[in-house]
Amino acid sequence: MGNALDARSAREALIVEALRGVDTVLAAADAVGERLTASSQRLETAAAGLAAAGTVYSAEVAQLTEATKRALADYIERRASAATTQALAEHRKAMKEAATLAFAEQLAPAVRDIARQIKLHGNLVRTRLAPVLTALALGVALGIGSAVLWMR
């Protein structure tokens, strides 16, 4: 077999190789640790950014919700105002029609009766006063004529 020196140098070579392997593994572990630390810091930064973005998003959603509420309230107010205006116009029209019907059914016959009575009394007054007015006019004419003759 080989000599002891060869075995010793083979053992030392094996130890050196094992130590290099351990050194490579330790260097890789250190690199992984550093990468994990850097990755952890990036994750913490990203989490803080997400939290800030979430806060901004929540504020924007709240603002949008408030604007939507105002727009909806304005829309409802405009629709209610239009509906109220239309209902009032319809109510006024119905009241006017009811008053017209009431007048036509109840007051118009009474007004026609009063007008007929006024016309009848007017005719009576004219027929009764015509002879009196004729006599008065004749008396005035005779009186003026007499006064003119007397003054001469």
Side-chain angles (χ1 to χ4, degrees):
M1 294 222 175
N3 66 29
L5 195 57
D6 284 341
R8 192 171 184 196
S9 44
R11 214 184 297 151
E12 286 176 1
L14 185 59
I15 290 172
V16 168
E17 281 303 313
L19 287 176
R20 278 191 196 143
V22 169
D23 186 48
T24 303
V25 168
L26 288 176
D30 286 341
V32 167
E34 290 172 5
R35 284 190 305 211
L36 282 175
T37 301
S39 179
S40 176
Q41 288 173 347
R42 284 194 308 269
L43 282 174
E44 287 174 4
T45 303
L50 282 175
T55 302
V56 169
Y57 176 76
S58 294
E60 288 178 2
V61 166
Q63 185 179 11
L64 180 62
T65 301
E66 199 58 38
T68 303
K69 284 180 189 176
R70 280 193 306 271
L72 182 60
D74 291 345
Y75 173 77
I76 290 171
E77 184 178 343
R78 283 192 310 274
R79 292 290 296 169
S81 178
T84 302
T85 301
Q86 182 179 0
L88 283 173
E90 290 172 0
H91 179 71
R92 286 185 187 120
K93 182 180 177 186
M95 293 300 289
K96 186 176 179 182
E97 288 173 358
T100 302
L101 283 175
F103 179 77
E105 291 177 0
Q106 296 174 5
L107 297 177
V111 170
R112 280 194 298 270
D113 186 43
I114 291 170
R116 191 177 74 250
Q117 288 180 14
I118 289 172
K119 185 177 178 182
L120 178 67
H121 288 296
N123 287 339
L124 286 175
V125 168
R126 268 187 253 119
T127 56
R128 289 188 181 163
L129 284 180
V132 173
L133 289 176
T134 305
L136 181 64
L138 183 61
V140 169
L142 286 175
I144 291 174
S146 305
V148 169
L149 285 175
W150 181 73
M151 291 173 83
R152 282 188 175 186

